[in-house]
Amino acid sequence: QKEVEQNSGPLSVPEGAIASLNCTYSDRGSQSFFWYRQYSGKSPELIMFIYSNGDKEDGRFTAQLNKASQYVSLLIRDSQPSDSATYLCAVNIDDMRFGAGTRLTVKP
Amino acid sequence: SAVISQKPSRDICQRGTSLTIQCQVDSQVTMMFWYRQQPGQSLTLIATANQGSEATYESGFVIDKFPISRPNLTFSTLTVSNMSPEDSSIYLCSVQTGNYYGYTFGSGTRLTVV
């Protein structure tokens, strides 16, 4: 079983819609969870982190964590074409472990 | 967060040769991490480098193939040795910064082995 699993997509949404990205993890002892955005040809950049169960909002982004279900999600509201990228879910155990990423395309 | 300067940004190398990738951080950090990202895939941790001690390698990666140096708290190198086409990949260094334990990445080295 992979440590961090994501639906590789691709996920396509129209501009202005909500994009929902999902991630599950295997280590119940995990304490910190991250979402990175990676544009094509660029290195990953951190966009959200969450430690506690529930929701965490930052602008158009909302991270959701459910430790009982070992589930993390990222919602992007009012999606823009500039949000088109690969989104990587990561879990920090002793070091950062990444999922395979979900490629998101936002169509104008 | 920290700023990482990584070089070279890309290189094309002959099989059997070696390439050394450098990362310079603008602040002192305890640990530096080296990742590989093969085309269309996610990041795989190669090793963790602490200053003053041997690097810790992940399963599937060995020191003879990927020697790492960490001479001080702001600098590290990764060498890809005796390269084959299967080593063609993007190599990234990263550090943990900030109170949130997120990682900051260098700009990456795109390596092509021919």
Side-chain angles (χ1 to χ4, degrees):
Chain A
Q1 183 183 9
K2 293 182 179 178
E3 293 171 305
V4 183
E5 297 207 47
Q6 294 180 254
N7 185 335
S8 61
L11 174 66
S12 181
V13 301
E15 184 174 357
I18 296 175
S20 178
L21 306 164
N22 304 315
C23 172
T24 58
Y25 60 94
S26 61
D27 189 336
R28 282 196 171 274
S30 302
Q31 295 296 318
S32 51
F33 308 87
F34 304 82
W35 285 98
Y36 290 81
R37 178 176 61 200
Q38 186 173 27
Y39 292 114
S40 180
K42 302 294 185 181
S43 57
E45 58 176 325
L46 179 68
I47 56 172
M48 288 288 288
F49 61 94
I50 186 167
Y51 299 148
S52 303
N53 277 327
D55 295 359
K56 179 182 179 183
E57 187 174 317
D58 184 1
R60 296 186 295 111
F61 298 96
T62 299
Q64 299 175 317
L65 174 60
N66 183 325
K67 289 186 178 180
S69 300
Q70 296 176 245
Y71 178 87
V72 192
S73 65
L74 178 70
L75 301 178
I76 306 174
R77 292 182 300 281
D78 188 24
S79 295
Q80 301 296 309
S82 59
D83 295 325
S84 298
T86 296
Y87 289 81
L88 303 169
C89 173
V91 176
N92 197 327
I93 307 170
D94 296 319
D95 46 62
M96 200 72 71
R97 304 288 170 153
F98 289 84
T102 298
R103 178 172 292 183
L104 172 67
T105 300
V106 181
K107 295 186 174 181
Chain B
S1 61
V3 176
I4 304 174
S5 175
Q6 182 174 346
K7 57 182 179 181
S9 58
R10 60 180 63 229
D11 208 341
I12 300 174
C13 300
Q14 297 291 323
R15 66 176 67 201
T17 62
S18 298
L19 176 72
T20 296
I21 302 166
Q22 300 181 4
C23 277
Q24 178 75 51
V25 189
D26 69 346
S27 58
Q28 294 185 337
V29 293
T30 303
M31 292 190 291
M32 294 182 71
F33 305 91
W34 287 96
Y35 284 86
R36 181 173 74 182
Q37 187 173 31
Q38 295 183 305
Q41 299 189 26
S42 189
L43 288 81
T44 300
L45 181 65
I46 297 172
T48 302
N50 287 324
Q51 192 269 334
S53 63
E54 292 288 332
T56 302
Y57 289 82
E58 295 299 305
S59 175
F61 298 96
V62 296
I63 187 171
D64 290 346
K65 176 67 174 177
F66 298 100
I68 288 172
S69 77
R70 185 79 203 276
N72 56 53
L73 291 173
T74 64
F75 187 79
S76 180
T77 68
L78 169 76
T79 299
V80 186
S81 302
N82 188 24
M83 289 184 286
S84 67
E86 292 71 34
D87 295 320
S88 297
S89 188
I90 297 172
Y91 293 84
L92 294 147
C93 62
S94 66
V95 300
Q96 190 175 57
T97 59
N99 294 329
Y100 48 78
Y101 301 113
Y103 282 19
T104 299
F105 286 87
S107 54
T109 297
R110 184 180 295 270
L111 171 62
T112 302
V113 184
V114 297

